[in-house]
Amino acid sequence: MSIRGSVWKPNLLIASSSCHAQVVCRTFSKKCKKSLSNDSLLLSILKKRTRSFFKKHDFGTHISRTRKVMIACKRVITAVNKFKEQLAKHRKNLIMCVAMAFTFDWYKERICVDEFIRLRQEFGIIKKLDSNDNNELKSETENNQNQFECSHTSYDSPRCRNMSEEGWEPFTSGSYYNAWRKPNVDYPGQNLYIYKVHGSFNDITALDFMQVQLDLQYRKEWDTMSVDLDIFDSEPLTQSDLIYWEFRWPKWFQNRDYVFKRRYKIEEDEKMMVIVSESVEHPDYPEQRNKWRVKDYWSYVVIKPHEDFDKPGVEFSITYFDDPGVTVSNYLTSWYQSKGLPSFLNDQRLAALELKKRRIEERNILSPDKTNLETKLDQPQTQTSWISWIFGYFLF
């Protein structure tokens, strides 16, 4: 017979206080006498040790406390299991909450809608620049300064610091465009300029021109200088995107790359389309040693149809700035005036015409004869590269 199995376990669990110690001892002695009757010495030793143990230790109280601890542990385990069940039910939401703490904060970083309201005046300002009426432009700017102040979310942005429409000087012009520039107030004395371009085409629609600006997959087809160009995050509610762009430079220079946010808005009542972009930092796209990160870049494009969005005829204004990290020579500035800017605009026009052609081919509709609407360009009607645009601005 097993002493531990038949004696200790049943009797010790019954004991709940010190008053039961003697009963346990007597029961243990009786059992031992029957099983160990042939070995009186061993039986005597066991009796003495058992009595000594119960005298020195309040065994019943010890068991009582142990049972309370065990009950408390069971309750804790039950609570932990329930908590695990709740975590399992809401696992997706929990993961999203944790991830949001280490990702882009759209609420804080999104481009403010106030800028879109202010840009409704863009073509009015262009008209005054064309007429060289600086006094009228200054007066209009002062009158509207309080009405279109930047909100607290974008007050410190580079665009807001350069919001004043004063200081523009003629830069270059062609048969279908005019351009102005002015020094950036954030870079005094460094010959870094903000550029504003106003142009018009009669043979492309506003929708096609807008798609050329927004469709990055299509741009990869006609822009061979873009090494990498992708949207890696979006906020569909506000039509906002985060974009990474790597631009190929000559082999003796590092490639330039950009991480920027972009938001666009189509205002049907005003018959206007607006795209605003600005450089931003993102943890998923840190700076790399073999590329030069353009940290200060911003632009806005305002598009207006002559009649309607889907009918030929579009007027546009492009205002932009970026700091490429190199000094622009006078020679390259002159080259940009004569060739770079016309090539850039021609690229976009040809890309928009290609969209129209593809759409007609998909619908199996013959293209109507609209040769009389072709715009007279300063450059040959062959598509050039975006290298004309970027290099003409800031290379060397």
Side-chain angles (χ1 to χ4, degrees), residues 221-269:
E221 298 181 24
W222 57 270
D223 180 13
T224 59
M225 305 308 295
S226 291
V227 179
D228 191 7
L229 181 60
D230 289 298
I231 296 174
F232 62 89
D233 194 8
S234 297
E235 188 188 41
L237 182 64
T238 59
Q239 297 173 325
S240 300
D241 300 304
L242 288 177
I243 299 171
Y244 176 77
W245 179 31
E246 180 184 350
F247 188 81
R248 182 180 292 110
W249 276 48
K251 60 183 179 180
W252 55 87
F253 286 98
Q254 290 180 316
N255 285 351
R256 263 53 179 172
D257 68 343
Y258 301 72
V259 177
F260 62 95
K261 54 188 175 183
R262 182 187 70 185
R263 182 176 181 179
Y264 71 92
K265 185 176 178 62
I266 300 176
E267 299 186 6
E268 296 184 6
D269 296 338

Side-chain angles (χ1 to χ4, degrees), residues 175-194:
S175 59
Y176 59 94
Y177 71 92
N178 289 308
W180 301 265
R181 71 177 185 178
K182 73 173 182 177
N184 192 319
V185 299
D186 294 333
Y187 299 88
Q190 299 186 32
N191 293 326
L192 290 176
Y193 293 91
I194 305 167

Side-chain angles (χ1 to χ4, degrees), residues 107-108 110 112 114 149-157 160:
Y107 180 78
K108 180 181 178 181
R110 74 166 63 101
C112 181
D114 292 355
E149 288 183 350
C150 288
S151 68
H152 68 282
T153 57
S154 61
Y155 181 77
D156 291 330
S157 71
C160 286

Side-chain angles (χ1 to χ4, degrees), residues 122-330:
E122 181 69 9
F123 291 108
I125 295 170
I126 292 292
K127 184 177 180 180
K128 293 167 186 175
L129 287 174
D130 285 332
S131 64
N132 294 322
D133 194 349
N134 294 326
N135 293 329
E136 183 181 355
L137 177 62
K138 181 177 180 180
S139 176
E140 184 71 16
T141 303
E142 291 175 353
N143 292 336
N144 293 324
Q145 185 175 5
N146 295 330
Q147 184 178 358
F148 295 104
E149 288 183 350
C150 288
S151 68
H152 68 282
T153 57
S154 61
Y155 181 77
D156 291 330
S157 71
R159 295 182 309 283
C160 286
R161 289 192 292 270
N162 290 276
M163 182 179 291
S164 172
E165 298 300 338
E166 301 175 16
W168 291 104
E169 59 183 26
F171 178 61
T172 185
S173 62
S175 59
Y176 59 94
Y177 71 92
N178 289 308
W180 301 265
R181 71 177 185 178
K182 73 173 182 177
N184 192 319
V185 299
D186 294 333
Y187 299 88
Q190 299 186 32
N191 293 326
L192 290 176
Y193 293 91
I194 305 167
Y195 292 86
K196 184 185 291 290
V197 182
H198 172 249
S200 178
F201 293 120
N202 294 325
D203 56 349
I204 61 176
T205 67
L207 286 175
D208 287 340
F209 192 74
M210 181 78 162
Q211 187 172 352
V212 168
Q213 310 296 325
L214 297 178
D215 192 343
L216 303 186
Q217 295 301 320
Y218 177 54
R219 176 165 176 180
K220 291 179 182 179
E221 298 181 24
W222 57 270
D223 180 13
T224 59
M225 305 308 295
S226 291
V227 179
D228 191 7
L229 181 60
D230 289 298
I231 296 174
F232 62 89
D233 194 8
S234 297
E235 188 188 41
L237 182 64
T238 59
Q239 297 173 325
S240 300
D241 300 304
L242 288 177
I243 299 171
Y244 176 77
W245 179 31
E246 180 184 350
F247 188 81
R248 182 180 292 110
W249 276 48
K251 60 183 179 180
W252 55 87
F253 286 98
Q254 290 180 316
N255 285 351
R256 263 53 179 172
D257 68 343
Y258 301 72
V259 177
F260 62 95
K261 54 188 175 183
R262 182 187 70 185
R263 182 176 181 179
Y264 71 92
K265 185 176 178 62
I266 300 176
E267 299 186 6
E268 296 184 6
D269 296 338
E270 300 287 335
K271 284 193 175 182
M272 189 175 293
M273 304 157 137
V274 182
I275 308 170
V276 181
S277 303
E278 183 182 3
S279 57
V280 71
E281 295 182 0
H282 196 280
D284 292 346
Y285 289 86
E287 296 182 47
Q288 302 181 31
R289 293 183 178 180
N290 60 338
K291 302 172 188 177
W292 178 271
R293 173 63 50 84
V294 179
K295 298 180 180 180
D296 194 356
Y297 157 74
W298 57 267
S299 69
Y300 53 84
V301 182
V302 185
I303 303 169
K304 185 177 182 180
H306 290 173
E307 296 182 22
D308 207 346
F309 292 118
D310 58 350
K311 293 183 179 181
V314 60
E315 181 182 9
F316 59 89
S317 173
I318 303 173
T319 306
Y320 68 94
F321 170 82
D322 84 24
D323 177 15
V326 293
T327 303
V328 182
S329 67
N330 293 332

